[in-house]
Amino acid sequence: MSKILIADDEKEIVSLLKIYLEAEGYTVLEAFDGKQATEIFAREKIDLLIVDIMMPQMNGYEVIKCVRGNSSTGKNMIPLLVISAKTQVSDRILGLDLGADDYIPKPFEPLEVVAKVKAQLRRMNALGGIAGAGAGDGKTAGSAAGADDKSLLTVGNLVLNRNECTVSDGKNTHDLTKIEFAVLEMFMTEPRRVFTLEQIYERGWGDAEVVDDNTVRVTLSHLREKITNAKITNIRGLGYRFECDDGGKL
């Protein structure tokens, strides 16, 4: 069963979440400050991390940076949920921008957290455990030469590498987060189709019951920055459409 690390200096919250998660069969590790969280993360095989923002030693933002910067082991790809009393839009956007997969404001409903944990782990399993994809396989990032044809998805001159979790326009290759990968794969499978916010959120986050517009916008903004010869257009009242040509900006 999956191993989950909860990092929060409020011991009551950690204990509460631990009760609910262990009831679902998960193994739960506890950390009560950011430094302790990073130490546990470094030595344990963690499948999902739940982190508070306001903690001693290291705050949650610093923990996220540490986790997402650990690319040498592939552990940077694990799902990461933020729970925090910092509920301003700017706080949520910063957390997502640093690499959090979801941002849950305090106070929260424990069953909602459990549902989001399940959704994140289901999505990771559906993506074939891409947390370790490409590590030590002897291929260079974005290389199509040694890749299985099924691992490549091509639209125009844009190539999505499923094995390496990268996207290339023939000139530059960019690493993708697991959510960026899932959303872009959906767009590239059916170019020019309009996808609703619910469809995008379900594909990227595994749960469309509560769609967070800001979360989707941040992810799409990151994709626009990485893909210069394609565009993701907001179709007012409907959703978003992806288009790509053979070169240059659209």
Side-chain angles (χ1 to χ4, degrees), residues 147-174:
D148 188 328
D149 288 343
K150 293 182 180 179
S151 72
L152 303 179
L153 178 60
T154 302
V155 176
N157 70 338
L158 200 65
V159 179
L160 183 74
N161 191 311
R162 292 186 172 104
N163 285 343
E164 299 174 359
C165 202
T166 60
V167 62
S168 172
D169 60 6
K171 296 180 181 178
N172 299 303
T173 298
H174 301 280

Short mmCIF file of all heavy atoms in Angstrom, two decimals, residues 147-174:
data_model
loop_
_atom_site.label_atom_id
_atom_site.label_comp_id
_atom_site.label_asym_id
_atom_site.label_seq_id
_atom_site.Cartn_x
_atom_site.Cartn_y
_atom_site.Cartn_z
N ALA A 147 13.42 5.54 -29.30
CA ALA A 147 12.16 5.41 -28.58
C ALA A 147 11.18 4.52 -29.34
O ALA A 147 11.16 4.49 -30.55
CB ALA A 147 11.55 6.79 -28.35
N ASP A 148 10.36 3.80 -28.58
CA ASP A 148 9.27 3.03 -29.16
C ASP A 148 8.27 4.00 -29.77
O ASP A 148 7.94 5.02 -29.18
CB ASP A 148 8.62 2.23 -28.03
CG ASP A 148 7.59 1.24 -28.55
OD1 ASP A 148 6.94 1.54 -29.57
OD2 ASP A 148 7.43 0.19 -27.91
N ASP A 149 7.77 3.67 -30.98
CA ASP A 149 6.82 4.55 -31.65
C ASP A 149 5.62 4.87 -30.78
O ASP A 149 5.07 5.95 -30.84
CB ASP A 149 6.36 3.92 -32.97
CG ASP A 149 7.45 3.94 -34.03
OD1 ASP A 149 8.42 4.71 -33.86
OD2 ASP A 149 7.32 3.20 -35.01
N LYS A 150 5.17 3.88 -29.97
CA LYS A 150 4.01 4.10 -29.13
C LYS A 150 4.29 5.10 -28.02
O LYS A 150 3.35 5.62 -27.42
CB LYS A 150 3.56 2.77 -28.52
CG LYS A 150 3.01 1.78 -29.55
CD LYS A 150 2.54 0.50 -28.88
CE LYS A 150 1.99 -0.49 -29.90
NZ LYS A 150 1.53 -1.75 -29.26
N SER A 151 5.55 5.36 -27.75
CA SER A 151 5.89 6.30 -26.69
C SER A 151 5.86 7.74 -27.19
O SER A 151 5.95 8.67 -26.39
CB SER A 151 7.28 5.99 -26.12
OG SER A 151 8.29 6.35 -27.06
N LEU A 152 5.75 7.93 -28.52
CA LEU A 152 5.79 9.27 -29.09
C LEU A 152 4.42 9.67 -29.63
O LEU A 152 3.74 8.88 -30.28
CB LEU A 152 6.81 9.34 -30.22
CG LEU A 152 8.25 8.95 -29.86
CD1 LEU A 152 9.13 9.05 -31.10
CD2 LEU A 152 8.78 9.82 -28.73
N LEU A 153 4.03 10.89 -29.34
CA LEU A 153 2.79 11.46 -29.86
C LEU A 153 3.17 12.73 -30.58
O LEU A 153 3.74 13.65 -29.99
CB LEU A 153 1.81 11.75 -28.72
CG LEU A 153 0.47 12.40 -29.09
CD1 LEU A 153 -0.31 11.51 -30.06
CD2 LEU A 153 -0.35 12.65 -27.83
N THR A 154 2.86 12.80 -31.90
CA THR A 154 3.30 13.92 -32.73
C THR A 154 2.12 14.69 -33.30
O THR A 154 1.19 14.11 -33.85
CB THR A 154 4.18 13.42 -33.89
OG1 THR A 154 5.30 12.70 -33.36
CG2 THR A 154 4.69 14.58 -34.73
N VAL A 155 2.18 16.01 -33.15
CA VAL A 155 1.22 16.92 -33.78
C VAL A 155 2.02 18.06 -34.39
O VAL A 155 2.72 18.78 -33.67
CB VAL A 155 0.19 17.48 -32.77
CG1 VAL A 155 -0.73 18.48 -33.46
CG2 VAL A 155 -0.63 16.35 -32.15
N GLY A 156 1.95 18.22 -35.72
CA GLY A 156 2.82 19.20 -36.38
C GLY A 156 4.26 18.82 -36.13
O GLY A 156 4.66 17.68 -36.34
N ASN A 157 5.06 19.77 -35.65
CA ASN A 157 6.45 19.44 -35.33
C ASN A 157 6.65 19.28 -33.82
O ASN A 157 7.77 19.27 -33.33
CB ASN A 157 7.41 20.50 -35.87
CG ASN A 157 7.30 21.81 -35.12
OD1 ASN A 157 6.28 22.09 -34.49
ND2 ASN A 157 8.32 22.65 -35.22
N LEU A 158 5.54 19.13 -33.12
CA LEU A 158 5.60 18.96 -31.67
C LEU A 158 5.57 17.47 -31.34
O LEU A 158 4.72 16.74 -31.83
CB LEU A 158 4.40 19.66 -31.02
CG LEU A 158 4.50 20.01 -29.54
CD1 LEU A 158 5.59 21.04 -29.32
CD2 LEU A 158 3.16 20.53 -29.04
N VAL A 159 6.51 17.03 -30.51
CA VAL A 159 6.62 15.61 -30.17
C VAL A 159 6.56 15.45 -28.65
O VAL A 159 7.40 16.00 -27.92
CB VAL A 159 7.93 14.99 -30.69
CG1 VAL A 159 8.02 13.51 -30.30
CG2 VAL A 159 8.02 15.13 -32.20
N LEU A 160 5.58 14.70 -28.20
CA LEU A 160 5.44 14.38 -26.78
C LEU A 160 6.03 12.99 -26.55
O LEU A 160 5.62 12.03 -27.20
CB LEU A 160 3.97 14.39 -26.37
CG LEU A 160 3.67 14.14 -24.89
CD1 LEU A 160 4.03 15.36 -24.05
CD2 LEU A 160 2.20 13.79 -24.69
N ASN A 161 7.01 12.90 -25.67
CA ASN A 161 7.65 11.62 -25.37
C ASN A 161 7.07 11.07 -24.08
O ASN A 161 7.31 11.60 -22.99
CB ASN A 161 9.17 11.81 -25.23
CG ASN A 161 9.90 10.48 -25.18
OD1 ASN A 161 9.52 9.58 -24.43
ND2 ASN A 161 10.95 10.35 -25.97
N ARG A 162 6.28 10.00 -24.20
CA ARG A 162 5.59 9.43 -23.04
C ARG A 162 6.56 8.77 -22.06
O ARG A 162 6.30 8.73 -20.87
CB ARG A 162 4.53 8.42 -23.50
CG ARG A 162 3.36 9.05 -24.25
CD ARG A 162 2.30 7.98 -24.54
NE ARG A 162 1.08 8.54 -25.09
CZ ARG A 162 0.73 8.46 -26.38
NH1 ARG A 162 1.53 7.85 -27.24
NH2 ARG A 162 -0.41 8.98 -26.80
N ASN A 163 7.64 8.21 -22.58
CA ASN A 163 8.61 7.54 -21.71
C ASN A 163 9.39 8.53 -20.86
O ASN A 163 9.67 8.29 -19.69
CB ASN A 163 9.59 6.71 -22.53
CG ASN A 163 8.97 5.42 -23.05
OD1 ASN A 163 7.94 4.99 -22.56
ND2 ASN A 163 9.59 4.83 -24.06
N GLU A 164 9.76 9.65 -21.46
CA GLU A 164 10.64 10.60 -20.79
C GLU A 164 9.91 11.79 -20.19
O GLU A 164 10.52 12.62 -19.52
CB GLU A 164 11.71 11.08 -21.78
CG GLU A 164 12.58 9.93 -22.28
CD GLU A 164 13.56 10.36 -23.37
OE1 GLU A 164 13.54 11.54 -23.75
OE2 GLU A 164 14.32 9.50 -23.83
N CYS A 165 8.60 11.89 -20.47
CA CYS A 165 7.79 12.99 -19.93
C CYS A 165 8.36 14.34 -20.37
O CYS A 165 8.56 15.26 -19.58
CB CYS A 165 7.72 12.90 -18.42
SG CYS A 165 6.29 13.76 -17.72
N THR A 166 8.62 14.45 -21.69
CA THR A 166 9.15 15.68 -22.27
C THR A 166 8.34 16.05 -23.50
O THR A 166 7.63 15.23 -24.07
CB THR A 166 10.62 15.51 -22.69
OG1 THR A 166 10.73 14.47 -23.68
CG2 THR A 166 11.52 15.18 -21.51
N VAL A 167 8.49 17.31 -23.92
CA VAL A 167 7.90 17.77 -25.17
C VAL A 167 8.98 18.52 -25.94
O VAL A 167 9.76 19.27 -25.37
CB VAL A 167 6.67 18.68 -24.92
CG1 VAL A 167 7.04 19.93 -24.15
CG2 VAL A 167 5.98 19.04 -26.24
N SER A 168 9.04 18.26 -27.26
CA SER A 168 10.07 18.87 -28.09
C SER A 168 9.44 19.48 -29.34
O SER A 168 8.48 18.93 -29.90
CB SER A 168 11.10 17.81 -28.51
OG SER A 168 12.01 18.34 -29.46
N ASP A 169 9.97 20.64 -29.77
CA ASP A 169 9.50 21.26 -31.01
C ASP A 169 10.54 21.12 -32.13
O ASP A 169 10.47 21.78 -33.15
CB ASP A 169 9.18 22.74 -30.79
CG ASP A 169 10.38 23.55 -30.33
OD1 ASP A 169 11.50 22.99 -30.28
OD2 ASP A 169 10.21 24.73 -30.00
N GLY A 170 11.51 20.23 -31.92
CA GLY A 170 12.57 20.02 -32.91
C GLY A 170 13.80 20.84 -32.61
O GLY A 170 14.90 20.52 -33.08
N LYS A 171 13.63 21.91 -31.83
CA LYS A 171 14.76 22.76 -31.47
C LYS A 171 15.05 22.66 -29.97
O LYS A 171 16.20 22.53 -29.56
CB LYS A 171 14.48 24.21 -31.84
CG LYS A 171 14.32 24.46 -33.34
CD LYS A 171 14.04 25.93 -33.61
CE LYS A 171 13.85 26.20 -35.11
NZ LYS A 171 13.52 27.62 -35.37
N ASN A 172 14.00 22.74 -29.18
CA ASN A 172 14.15 22.71 -27.73
C ASN A 172 13.31 21.59 -27.14
O ASN A 172 12.24 21.26 -27.65
CB ASN A 172 13.71 24.05 -27.12
CG ASN A 172 14.55 25.21 -27.64
OD1 ASN A 172 15.76 25.20 -27.52
ND2 ASN A 172 13.89 26.21 -28.21
N THR A 173 13.82 21.02 -26.06
CA THR A 173 13.11 19.98 -25.33
C THR A 173 12.85 20.46 -23.91
O THR A 173 13.76 21.00 -23.27
CB THR A 173 13.91 18.67 -25.29
OG1 THR A 173 14.10 18.20 -26.63
CG2 THR A 173 13.19 17.60 -24.49
N HIS A 174 11.62 20.30 -23.44
CA HIS A 174 11.24 20.76 -22.11
C HIS A 174 10.72 19.60 -21.27
O HIS A 174 9.95 18.77 -21.75
CB HIS A 174 10.14 21.83 -22.20
CG HIS A 174 10.54 23.03 -22.99
ND1 HIS A 174 11.32 24.05 -22.47
CD2 HIS A 174 10.25 23.40 -24.28
CE1 HIS A 174 11.50 24.98 -23.40
NE2 HIS A 174 10.87 24.60 -24.49
#
